[in-house]
Amino acid sequence: MALGEFDLIHRYFDRPGGRAVLGIGDDCALVAPTPGMQLAISTDMLVEGRHFLSTVAPERLGHKSLAVNLSDLAACGARPLAFTLSLALPRVDEAFLAGFSQGLFALADAHGIELVGGDTTAGPLNISITVFGEVPPGRALLRSGARPGDQLWISGTLGDARLALEVFRGTLPLAGEAFEQVRLAMERPTPRVALGQALQGVATAAADISDGLLGDLGHILKRSRVGAQLEADALPRSPLLAAQPLAVQRQCTLAGGDDYELVFTAPAAAAAAVQAAGRAAGVAVTCVGHIQAEPGLRVVDAAGRPVDHGLASFDHFKA
Amino acid sequence: MALGEFDLIHRYFDRPGGRAVLGIGDDCALVAPTPGMQLAISTDMLVEGRHFLSTVAPERLGHKSLAVNLSDLAACGARPLAFTLSLALPRVDEAFLAGFSQGLFALADAHGIELVGGDTTAGPLNISITVFGEVPPGRALLRSGARPGDQLWISGTLGDARLALEVFRGTLPLAGEAFEQVRLAMERPTPRVALGQALQGVATAAADISDGLLGDLGHILKRSRVGAQLEADALPRSPLLAAQPLAVQRQCTLAGGDDYELVFTAPAAAAAAVQAAGRAAGVAVTCVGHIQAEPGLRVVDAAGRPVDHGLASFDHFKA
């Protein structure tokens, strides 16, 4: 049986309304923002082979599609409110839709947010989500606020998602539980939403790490018109990644991609507040360097020697 | 030369900021909604072969991609504020990007709205836009407000876009200026944004006609729990379509698709106000029937005889 477009939306994506004044089913959704708050908006498109592999379970893909968008809100310190979903599918695949919507809504429910609009169409698999959050005026974490002397921080650990990708590519061997663990990092990332909000008024700048640390930190440095020294050996990594050759560790932590951790800056005097924010959000935060007035990024090892970082940031057109 | 993702965004889509507090270039855009207004949100995804043909000029595709989204805001009576764009492209095609962005921004500028967020990736051509507008609380035009006795109205004319599609499909002959005219209707629709706002407090229900009149009117009837009598011969159509066989006229006006006109209802006592709204917005409005308490849609001809309307609404999975 071929389901029509509207049946599809209805069956898998229509749910009882929550904070939206009017949800799916009209030409527009109507949302009443909290008076006085600014609206934070971000959008991310996921394409097979670029942002996920065909081997991913639908539940995980549903989770990841929303997670990468929530990660952008986290990087701004915004509280998530709602999202829209546009979905192109090669064919009506109910097993896919059931799994995808389950993973999507499980994460949405965990953050108390609602799907307020959607579109489905036949076409090559494509998932486009736009998320909305709120943040008090002047409290959003921007990329432009880093100042010389600020410490440079990373949440969680970096590189496991890239490690998993390399295993899929056949360039690295990893099996059993170890493979499952890094695969989970790649396919089911945790957006640092609580940390982002806890860093309001503490961090001076922030970005989420989606295209590799070097690239995303580069955005902060460029927009803040500063430079940085980054200690490669201080970058937080899982025991699994720490067991890999040093070159692999460097590649995965510095230019891995798909980490969805936060890179952020804060004055040295705020170090205790940063640690407290991490504890409140239930995620480790690690100081990995500091901001300098001189433009450019200087990556050094534990002994302070320069580390070659001629590593391209993960870029969806270059990779 | 292969351009990277960020260069692409920058070159074609980064423009000086307007009403957004913070536009493209950070993790999120920040927008300050007008205090007390509700936010109207809609999203539409366009896929080649489903929503446009490969023969469309990039300028027109840029226009249409935003137009179909603005049409949803129009159907709610909302004032457009901003939009996000996610774009998957098979390859970096600068001629396409230049034309596409030109058409997109020309329409955005005409409505005074701003691109506040975006994502680009390699992948099969896919255009996903989310639009934001505002509307005073309680003033949005919904699909659920039609009442028995209301008159049924249509803006502009219906069916030219479908006529063009049939010419492309080779099922109808049309050439020269005539073909150019219907092709323009298909490739460069005009969203009825001003009309939608002018109908605030006048219309009782509205929807935009994107999937064919029967389908979109059906949404109003279903959500309003009413029926309607529709006079097929009263449906507004261009002289070009009126010169086609009656069966073609019926197919194109009743179930054409891609019209992006508004279908709306209003009390008979508001007929003068509806006409005034049309004049103010610079678009013809035509009364084509009325709402009835009995569920179901009864399509009749000028003599009041039933017209067979076993015509499927344009559905992107069935077509």
Side-chain angles (χ1 to χ4, degrees):
Chain A
M1 184 186 71
L3 275 176
E5 179 173 10
F6 296 101
D7 300 317
L8 264 182
I9 293 173
H10 192 73
R11 182 171 303 186
Y12 293 104
F13 297 112
D14 213 357
R15 306 172 97 207
R19 29 179 318 127
V21 179
L22 179 73
I24 282 186
D26 216 296
D27 293 284
C28 294
L30 294 176
V31 174
T34 307
M37 299 288 263
Q38 286 183 346
L39 203 64
I41 302 171
S42 188
T43 189
D44 267 309
M45 178 175 266
L46 285 83
V47 172
E48 186 172 321
R50 290 280 160 184
H51 306 91
F52 59 91
L53 302 177
S54 59
T55 46
V56 69
E59 291 83 353
R60 290 190 179 180
L61 183 58
H63 172 100
K64 182 171 179 174
S65 300
L66 183 56
V68 305
N69 277 281
L70 289 176
S71 183
D72 286 313
L73 290 184
C76 284
R79 187 170 67 90
L81 289 181
F83 66 107
T84 62
L85 164 71
S86 286
L87 186 60
L89 292 174
R91 74 202 72 82
V92 176
D93 177 341
E94 298 209 48
F96 175 87
L97 283 165
F100 181 87
S101 59
Q102 187 187 320
L104 182 86
F105 284 125
L107 184 62
D109 290 346
H111 290 277
I113 67 172
E114 195 178 339
L115 178 64
V116 294
D119 193 17
T120 52
T121 183
L125 184 54
N126 184 301
I127 303 153
S128 180
I129 287 181
T130 303
V131 284
F132 314 93
E134 330 184 294
V135 61
R139 300 275 285 182
L141 308 176
L142 308 183
R143 292 176 173 174
S144 54
R147 297 292 170 259
D150 281 356
Q151 290 178 321
L152 186 59
W153 296 82
I154 302 283
S155 68
T157 63
L158 300 181
D160 278 2
R162 179 58 176 265
L163 192 53
L165 181 63
E166 295 302 329
V167 175
F168 272 108
R169 286 174 169 169
T171 64
L172 286 174
L174 207 62
E177 271 303 303
F179 174 54
E180 278 310 312
Q181 183 182 318
V182 296
R183 184 176 183 174
L184 206 60
M186 179 175 80
E187 295 180 341
R188 212 177 175 290
T190 300
R192 300 304 183 188
V193 171
L195 179 63
Q197 291 173 80
L199 289 172
Q200 273 184 24
V202 176
T204 50
D208 82 319
I209 308 173
S210 53
D211 298 323
L213 175 59
L214 292 183
D216 292 310
L217 173 56
H219 297 312
I220 289 181
L221 301 185
K222 187 176 174 190
R223 290 184 78 93
S224 298
R225 300 165 188 270
V226 295
Q229 177 165 304
L230 176 67
E231 295 151 41
D233 295 326
L235 289 171
R237 70 206 78 178
S238 70
L240 276 172
L241 180 56
Q244 294 290 323
L246 187 62
V248 172
Q249 296 183 46
R250 291 265 161 86
Q251 171 74 30
C252 290
T253 53
L254 288 170
D258 258 2
D259 293 300
Y260 303 105
E261 295 295 346
L262 298 184
V263 51
F264 58 97
T265 59
V274 169
Q275 293 286 2
R279 276 192 305 275
V283 58
V285 288
T286 307
C287 182
V288 298
H290 59 278
I291 299 297
Q292 299 171 321
E294 188 190 347
L297 177 60
R298 289 154 289 281
V299 184
V300 298
D301 65 15
R305 289 173 304 226
V307 168
D308 174 30
H309 59 91
L311 304 161
S313 164
F314 184 76
D315 183 309
H316 298 142
F317 268 113
K318 288 173 180 162
Chain B
M1 182 185 72
L3 276 175
E5 177 174 12
F6 296 100
D7 301 317
L8 263 183
I9 293 175
H10 192 73
R11 183 172 302 188
Y12 293 102
F13 297 110
D14 213 357
R15 305 172 96 207
R19 30 179 317 128
V21 179
L22 178 73
I24 282 186
D26 216 294
D27 293 284
C28 295
L30 294 177
V31 173
T34 307
M37 299 287 264
Q38 286 182 346
L39 201 65
I41 302 172
S42 188
T43 189
D44 267 309
M45 177 176 268
L46 285 83
V47 172
E48 186 172 321
R50 290 279 160 183
H51 307 91
F52 58 92
L53 302 176
S54 59
T55 47
V56 68
E59 291 83 354
R60 290 190 179 180
L61 183 57
H63 172 100
K64 182 171 181 175
S65 300
L66 184 56
V68 305
N69 278 280
L70 288 175
S71 183
D72 286 314
L73 290 184
C76 284
R79 187 170 67 88
L81 289 181
F83 66 107
T84 61
L85 165 70
S86 286
L87 187 60
L89 291 173
R91 74 203 72 80
V92 176
D93 177 341
E94 297 209 48
F96 174 87
L97 283 165
F100 181 87
S101 59
Q102 187 187 319
L104 181 86
F105 284 124
L107 184 61
D109 290 346
H111 290 277
I113 67 172
E114 194 180 338
L115 177 64
V116 293
D119 192 20
T120 53
T121 182
L125 184 54
N126 184 302
I127 303 153
S128 180
I129 287 181
T130 304
V131 285
F132 318 93
E134 352 182 275
V135 63
R139 300 275 287 182
L141 308 177
L142 308 184
R143 293 176 174 175
S144 54
R147 297 290 170 261
D150 281 357
Q151 290 179 320
L152 187 58
W153 296 81
I154 301 284
S155 69
T157 62
L158 300 181
D160 277 3
R162 179 57 177 266
L163 193 52
L165 181 62
E166 295 301 330
V167 176
F168 274 108
R169 285 174 169 169
T171 64
L172 286 174
L174 206 64
E177 271 303 305
F179 174 55
E180 279 309 313
Q181 184 182 318
V182 296
R183 184 176 183 173
L184 207 59
M186 180 175 78
E187 295 180 343
R188 211 176 175 289
T190 300
R192 301 304 183 189
V193 172
L195 179 63
Q197 290 173 79
L199 288 173
Q200 272 183 23
V202 176
T204 49
D208 81 321
I209 308 173
S210 53
D211 297 324
L213 174 59
L214 292 185
D216 292 310
L217 172 55
H219 297 311
I220 289 181
L221 301 185
K222 186 176 173 190
R223 289 184 80 93
S224 298
R225 299 165 188 269
V226 294
Q229 177 166 303
L230 175 67
E231 295 152 42
D233 294 328
L235 288 171
R237 68 204 80 177
S238 71
L240 276 172
L241 180 55
Q244 295 290 323
L246 187 62
V248 172
Q249 296 183 45
R250 291 265 162 86
Q251 170 76 32
C252 289
T253 52
L254 288 170
D258 258 2
D259 293 299
Y260 304 105
E261 296 294 346
L262 298 185
V263 51
F264 58 97
T265 60
V274 169
Q275 293 286 2
R279 279 192 303 276
V283 59
V285 288
T286 307
C287 181
V288 297
H290 59 279
I291 298 297
Q292 299 172 321
E294 188 190 347
L297 177 61
R298 288 155 290 280
V299 184
V300 298
D301 66 14
R305 288 174 304 228
V307 167
D308 173 31
H309 59 90
L311 303 161
S313 164
F314 184 77
D315 183 308
H316 298 142
F317 267 111
K318 287 173 179 162

